[in-house]
Amino acid sequence: MPDFVEVADRVWLARYEWADANVTAIGSERGLVVVDTHGSTAAGRVVLDDLRSLAAGEVHAVVNTHWHWDHSFGNAAFREHDPDVPIHAHERAAAWLAERAEETKARWLEHPEDPHATEVADTEIVLPDRVFSTTQAVDLGDRALELLHLGRGHTDGDLVVRIPDADVVLGGDLVEESAHPWIGMDSWPLEWPSTLEAVLGQVGPDTVVVPGHGVAVDRAFVENQRRELGLIAEGVRRLVDTGVPIDEAAAQGEWPWEANDPRIANAVTRGYEHLGAVSPLG
Ligand SMILES: [Zn+2]
């Protein structure tokens, strides 16, 4: 199991092999805040075990950066350990989790050969109970966290965590290091660049930025990701403006990534939908 590695003063990052998912722990005099809980109750229990070896106190609060399974399906393990532990998330993340988590579990069961299928299917969905729309402060006594919703991007309910005293920003999946950021059918590819611009407003020259997947990065990395997502948004707009049919768009467009990357197809589908160039029902 991975160790939690200190990336800034009392900010520890563990990178789990399954889904290459990051979990961050923030220390304080009130205990630990755990940001993202990995992909199942079983995986959440492993995170709790790994946190024990940090010997940095009990879990004081949990944060889900967005609703996706690899960031929120471990929630039940934390409630099992402490029935009163608060779970923070954006209100849209909580709504999606309530509406769509069972569908996600059912999709896993379509692949029974996957070694994680059963544990995901067995996972009890625990919804965040401390939701907000724009910002929320988390007072930890000797330090404070800011949870910020800076716009739509990877989903419509992404939050970033700012730890001002350590100059750290946790970007959730608005920023990914180990792969191109995932543009899914619940993403907002045309708005993502301006949301990242707002994230960059929180990032200085020495800020440590922790992505949802992969190693910690710096401002220049986020600027480049914003540039690439900006090229994709511009590309989709241009295709719509010139009347290119949706089924030819991925092949005809110019992209910073491979044209056959499923992220490009999803960006086209979502972009055409958001520009009103195709109805959501096709
Ligand atoms: Zn993710």
Side-chain angles (χ1 to χ4, degrees), residues 32-184:
L32 292 166
V33 175
V34 180
V35 180
D36 289 339
T37 59
H38 208 193
S40 67
T41 304
R45 291 183 190 127
V46 172
V47 173
L48 265 167
D49 268 349
D50 293 342
L51 286 168
R52 256 175 227 120
S53 60
L54 259 186
E58 282 294 318
V59 176
H60 175 77
V62 170
V63 176
N64 296 142
T65 57
H66 59 292
W67 77 278
H68 289 160
W69 66 274
D70 50 330
H71 301 262
S72 67
F73 275 25
N75 286 359
F78 290 83
R79 277 287 167 74
E80 189 174 82
H81 178 70
D82 173 4
D84 298 321
V85 74
I87 304 177
H88 300 261
H90 186 262
E91 59 191 6
R92 293 293 305 151
W96 274 90
L97 199 56
E99 287 162 26
R100 304 293 286 276
E102 292 304 324
E103 196 180 307
T104 301
K105 285 163 65 171
R107 269 211 313 279
W108 273 85
L109 277 182
E110 290 166 14
H111 301 279
E113 73 289 352
D114 189 295
H116 294 288
T118 312
E119 66 179 90
V120 177
D122 286 347
T123 284
E124 179 205 344
I125 300 304
V126 171
L127 300 178
D129 60 342
R130 301 292 167 89
V131 300
F132 68 99
S133 56
T134 310
T135 67
Q136 188 169 68
V138 181
D139 178 11
L140 298 173
D142 58 339
R143 75 197 315 187
L145 310 182
E146 294 167 15
L147 312 183
L148 309 170
H149 172 67
L150 297 169
R152 299 189 286 201
H154 178 64
T155 68
D156 64 1
D158 305 299
L159 66 80
V160 305
V161 181
R162 201 168 156 256
I163 313 162
D165 69 89
D167 201 4
V168 173
V169 168
L170 313 181
D173 283 4
L174 287 170
V175 181
E176 286 194 48
E177 186 274 336
S178 49
H180 296 314
W182 178 251
I183 303 170

